[in-house]
Amino acid sequence: QTFYEDYKGKAAFTSAIGGTKVPQWLNWIESLIGPYAANMKNIVIHLGYNDINGSMVSPQHLVDLHKLLIEKIHAAYPNANIYTFGIGVSYWFETANNGMNQKQRVLEHDALLENALKDVSYAKFLDIQKEYDEYVTSGKTLQSFFKDGTHPTNENYKYFMDLLTEAGCVIANK
């Protein structure tokens, strides 16, 4: 499964820029989704990995940036539902031994972001870590979830899609 296969014939587009961090999206959000915003009903965010990876940014500071981005999106697109995935401990974070305690920082960030959004009516936190944990509990390895240690295999992309569906994200036909 891929975005383009799953959303073929749907009113959906993707704006993904590898290697970016949340502060960059704060500056770019209107130009990235602005042309598509007229009838936008849902905005999905999966950011933070690059902020934690190789950086000592604190989980709380990153949550503050996430909240600021969500507030900025809501101000610009008040009728859109905003869905944000937690970072989740990828295989790379699980095995990293670089003295930055990235696994713990990811878990702390995700718990803080989930708590920060619990009473925000227009934004929903999606706990991808729960999916990773269930995947491993089923007898599979975390390494097999990812094609490169960071990005899910096409087959495991469905876990993200399932979370969106469970959260009520509906994508209309074109």
Side-chain angles (χ1 to χ4, degrees), residues 14-35:
T14 181
S15 184
I17 303 172
T20 58
K21 297 181 179 181
V22 175
Q24 292 167 307
W25 283 85
L26 280 164
N27 293 325
W28 301 339
I29 195 68
E30 284 99 352
S31 62
L32 289 172
I33 64 176

Side-chain angles (χ1 to χ4, degrees), residues 1-7 147 152-163 165:
Q1 291 180 331
T2 66
F3 177 88
Y4 298 104
E5 290 170 358
D6 289 342
Y7 292 114
K147 58 185 167 191
T153 64
N154 286 351
E155 178 182 303
N156 291 328
Y157 172 73
K158 70 181 174 95
Y159 289 93
F160 289 81
M161 304 307 298
D162 290 347
L163 280 175
T165 300

Side-chain angles (χ1 to χ4, degrees), residues 38-57:
N39 297 312
M40 194 172 307
K41 302 216 180 339
N42 302 294
I43 299 172
V44 179
I45 303 168
H46 190 200
L47 293 170
Y49 184 94
N50 294 317
D51 298 88
I52 293 282
N53 183 25
S55 165
M56 287 307 295
V57 65

